[in-house]
Amino acid sequence: MSATLQSIEPKTADAEQALTDGFHLVIDALKLNDVKTIYGVPGIPITDFGRMAQAAGIRVISFRHEQNAGNAAAIAGFLTRKPGICLTVSAPGFLNGLTALANATTNCFPMILISGSSEREIVDLQQGDYEEMDQLAIAKPLCKAAFRVLHAADIGIGLARAIRAAVSGRPGGVYLDLPAKLFGQVMNAEAGAKSLVKVIDAAPAQIPAPAAVKRALDVLKSAKRPLIILGKGAAYAQADDDIRAFVEKSGVPFLPMSMAKGLLPDLHPQCAGAARSTVLKEADVVMLIGARLNWLLSHGKGKTWGDAPKKFIQIDIEPKEMDSNVEIVAPVVGDIGSCVAALLSAMGGNWPAAPADWMKTVSTKRDENIAKMAPRLMNNKSPMDYHGALGALRTIIKERPDAILVNEGANTLDLARGVIDMYQPRKRLDVGTWGVMGIGMGFAIAAAIETGKPVLAVEGDSAFGFSGMEVETICRYDLPVCVVIFNNNGIYRGTDVNPSGSSDVATTVFVKDSRYDKMMEAFGGVGVNATTPDELKRAVNEAMDSGKPTLINAVIDPAAGSESGRIGNLNPQSVLKKK
Ligand code: ADP
Ligand code: TZD
Ligand code: MG
């Protein structure tokens, strides 16, 4: 390498201008492809890269931990349909980012993890380089695609491949390995500029076969008790108007999965969110739009789905998703925008109304459940229970429907999902397919940066702990993020007792009566301790009005939650446990 470098060493000022290097080429390639923001943590070998990217007009958001930067990039990908970029150092920084990359892939969010790496020659001979690790090999099984660029002249192609892999077909995470040496590689500037690739049509439309569309409509039309399930793939597709038109024209009740809430408003007359168990049990035809029949839908079978035989129609960009859990009688493979447009046009002018008795069953059940819940949401107990606190937050989102809600925890998640109605698409961001804790602050930061809207992050006290240090990041960038911590002194409840009788507390219990609000004050943000729903409401409204970084410690009764929230059925318990 050094021989090449010497041979092209500039002799004159003109010649100097005519050279470029790996640093510049990566930055130019990102800019050429409209990358506006990078989320990351600096260090060897990418410190100068971050600095230069900033100087070149890319917004570089520095985090306190790569996992949070990775989660930020992932949700930026979900919100924008462009791969979010996360930048890390080698080995440990890379590994810290990898959880987020794997999570993005699992959730079908497009992102690119770019990590600097050590010298290949030393890594491959395992001679103990600084932060030595064969990162490409480790990333490969955890993402959609993984690439390494060894020559500056390949940077353009490398980034183009990464972008296409992330957003085409089923979106997901991509790893791009950039060894330290690459950044310093020098080449002719003109040749360098020519080597860059502007990716044209990164996520090409995938048009469904007309026969598949007809088959799907025939099955839907034959239904006596049809149901549409909207998943986060439908939210991602940004085909909001057509999806709404299709659901309304069909007249069929719809059930939004967690991150599809708001695609049509939760208060829409066809929304069956509050009649979930009834519609899943009783439906005879179920059309899935961008939702998988994974654990979140009990794999399409068993008790949740009742005894009535069911036919499934599935719209998805991934052909292999079909028949993954149960038989799909009408698979429609394509991108959701194209599929829904094709369905709409094939429905023609006179689509029959959904069966009236079924609509009545659904709306009666829904209204009954909503009425049952209403008084619980209005209680003003202190310490608060979940319903009292969520009743307050629900009103706030109703009054501020364009705010973004980030949500994680167990009870804090499951109950907020049910209680807080959403009114607009892509406004609810949460733990997704893995039910992973730790997305909170990364998602909140990227949501604020990508959309410019106020963010309300509703966090279990445990959930918050996974990314809590990023409150400093929120203050540093002065982001309009209001974090509400449902502080019940622990995981699920704060009341467990160590069965051994030792002075260690139980494994699920934290320091009692902690004041998380002081954490925000430490960095110049606003901290509030709220003990009643009224106090909580006032503090959140103030935060949303001011746009100031705020953290509200919402004091929740430690006995109010239940183990594992609403998924206690998945929580194995020993029958042999000694009392
Ligand atoms: P949820 O958790 O909301 O049920 P999932 O993450 O399980 O949603 O499912 C999302 C599905 O959407 C995935 O199977 C993915 O392949 C699909 N998908 C994502 N984007 C698109 C798109 N643009 N067009 C079609 N399908 C998509
Ligand atoms: N680690 C990771 C990365 N993801 C997880 N989901 C868990 C651990 C296990 N876990 C849950 O599934 S929920 C949860 C943990 C630790 C925290 C629940 O406590 P909380 O919420 O305080 O956030 P509630 O309101 O007390 O139930
Ligand atoms: Mg808790």
Side-chain angles (χ1 to χ4, degrees):
M1 196 62 245
S2 56
T4 332
L5 265 179
Q6 272 164 11
S7 67
I8 59 167
E9 200 140 87
K11 301 276 185 304
T12 65
D14 275 352
E16 192 166 11
Q17 277 174 11
L19 292 178
T20 186
D21 64 7
F23 285 108
H24 288 93
L25 286 167
V26 177
I27 291 164
D28 291 348
L30 290 168
K31 286 187 75 171
L32 184 64
N33 286 289
D34 295 324
V35 170
K36 305 255 180 321
T37 311
I38 294 175
Y39 301 93
V41 176
I44 295 172
I46 46 99
T47 313
D48 214 29
F49 176 81
R51 218 174 262 140
M52 290 169 67
Q54 200 169 37
I58 296 178
R59 193 160 189 209
V60 184
I61 305 293
S62 273
F63 282 71
R64 304 300 294 260
H65 190 290
E66 293 85 353
Q67 189 178 122
N68 308 318
N71 284 324
I75 210 66
F78 171 76
L79 290 168
T80 64
R81 301 188 78 200
K82 289 186 185 157
I85 308 286
C86 175
L87 180 69
T88 80
V89 302
S90 25
F94 155 78
L95 285 174
N96 284 345
L98 203 52
T99 307
L101 186 70
N103 188 54
T105 307
T106 300
N107 282 282
C108 315
F109 299 156
M111 81 172 266
I112 303 174
L113 174 68
I114 302 181
S115 297
S117 59
S118 312
E119 302 305 338
R120 286 253 42 88
E121 295 83 347
I122 304 178
V123 172
D124 289 349
L125 277 172
Q126 298 168 36
Q127 294 172 311
D129 201 0
Y130 169 71
E131 299 194 345
E132 172 181 301
M133 176 170 279
D134 188 359
Q135 295 168 198
L136 187 72
I138 289 164
K140 241 177 216 169
L142 296 172
C143 59
K144 235 186 121 179
F147 305 102
R148 173 158 51 224
V149 182
L150 291 175
H151 299 295
D154 292 333
I155 286 170
I157 291 292
L159 185 69
R161 300 211 71 186
I163 291 172
R164 282 197 186 278
V167 295
S168 62
R170 170 183 278 176
V174 174
Y175 175 59
L176 187 61
D177 193 85
L178 303 183
K181 256 190 206 169
L182 178 79
F183 292 104
Q185 269 184 40
V186 174
M187 69 180 285
N188 176 280
E190 203 185 317
K194 276 205 193 121
S195 72
L196 300 183
V197 177
K198 181 162 173 72
V199 177
I200 308 296
D201 198 12
Q206 291 185 221
I207 315 284
V213 171
K214 179 173 184 308
R215 191 189 298 122
L217 288 177
D218 287 347
V219 175
L220 188 63
K221 206 183 251 178
S222 73
K224 296 200 167 53
R225 296 179 304 280
L227 172 68
I228 292 172
I229 298 182
L230 299 170
K232 58 172 134 41
Y236 173 79
Q238 296 197 16
D240 308 337
D241 292 348
D242 272 3
I243 289 172
R244 183 172 185 146
F246 171 71
V247 172
E248 288 181 344
K249 193 166 179 181
S250 75
V252 169
F254 72 91
L255 190 64
M257 299 300 288
S258 199
M259 282 177 60
K261 275 165 70 84
L263 202 44
L264 278 83
D266 281 332
L267 300 182
H268 191 284
Q270 284 166 255
C271 184
R276 187 178 192 273
S277 28
T278 303
V279 290
L280 291 182
K281 276 201 183 71
E282 294 185 16
D284 63 348
V285 167
V286 179
M287 176 184 253
L288 300 153
I289 307 183
R292 287 170 285 188
L293 283 174
N294 55 16
W295 69 280
L296 286 158
L297 283 169
S298 309
H299 305 281
K301 54 200 169 195
K303 243 183 18 227
T304 309
W305 291 88
D307 301 323
K310 295 194 201 296
K311 288 182 180 167
F312 287 95
I313 305 166
Q314 185 159 25
I315 303 180
D316 206 287
I317 202 157
E318 175 58 67
K320 294 200 297 288
E321 188 57 38
M322 308 299 160
D323 305 326
S324 56
N325 284 271
V326 297
E327 180 188 23
I328 303 297
V329 302
V332 183
V333 174
D335 76 273
I336 284 168
S338 302
C339 290
V340 172
L343 286 164
L344 262 174
S345 86
M347 281 165 107
N350 51 350
W351 187 261
D357 51 343
W358 171 236
M359 296 312 288
K360 183 86 195 133
T361 307
V362 177
S363 63
T364 306
K365 189 72 204 172
R366 182 192 63 207
D367 297 347
E368 210 177 279
N369 285 343
I370 290 174
K372 224 187 281 169
M373 175 94 86
R376 301 184 66 187
L377 299 176
M378 279 156 49
N379 89 69
N380 208 27
K381 275 189 233 159
S382 178
M384 296 180 269
D385 64 15
Y386 286 90
H387 287 87
L390 288 169
L393 299 183
R394 170 188 213 250
T395 309
I396 287 167
I397 293 292
K398 186 171 188 182
E399 289 163 357
R400 302 169 188 267
D402 68 342
I404 292 181
L405 180 71
V406 171
N407 189 198
E408 61 178 335
N411 293 280
T412 304
L413 174 88
D414 293 342
L415 296 172
R417 185 195 294 120
V419 169
I420 303 182
D421 293 319
M422 302 308 294
Y423 301 85
Q424 295 177 12
R426 295 172 295 284
K427 296 295 188 187
R428 188 187 152 83
L429 311 174
D430 67 28
V431 299
T433 305
W434 266 350
V436 64
M437 298 299 112
I439 49 88
M441 297 306 101
F443 277 18
I445 289 168
I449 285 175
E450 299 289 335
T451 69
K453 304 285 185 210
V455 176
L456 176 63
V458 180
E459 304 269 315
D461 51 341
S462 164
F464 171 73
F466 289 73
S467 68
M469 193 62 216
E470 303 297 347
V471 294
E472 188 274 331
T473 312
I474 293 171
C475 290
R476 185 165 16 110
Y477 292 100
D478 195 22
L479 297 172
V481 174
C482 173
V483 183
V484 174
I485 296 186
F486 276 32
N487 186 358
N488 64 346
N489 293 347
I491 298 173
Y492 313 135
R493 299 163 73 90
T495 51
D496 262 10
V497 179
N498 178 343
S500 79
S502 100
S503 61
D504 285 356
V505 293
T507 56
T508 53
V509 169
F510 296 154
V511 168
K512 294 214 181 314
D513 308 324
S514 303
R515 290 286 302 276
Y516 290 94
D517 47 315
K518 307 255 184 210
M519 282 178 71
M520 200 58 136
E521 290 175 354
F523 303 108
V526 178
V528 181
N529 190 50
T531 58
T532 66
D534 287 343
E535 281 174 21
L536 175 61
K537 196 167 156 189
R538 204 173 320 125
V540 177
N541 272 323
E542 242 165 66
M544 304 291 259
D545 286 338
S546 73
K548 284 196 194 132
T550 301
L551 193 154
I552 301 162
N553 185 60
V555 181
I556 302 286
D557 180 353
S562 51
E563 173 130 336
S564 301
R566 287 278 167 95
I567 52 172
N569 58 314
L570 300 177
N571 183 31
Q573 304 243 320
S574 171
V575 288
L576 303 176
K577 211 158 44 180
K578 297 214 171 67
K579 287 268 159 159

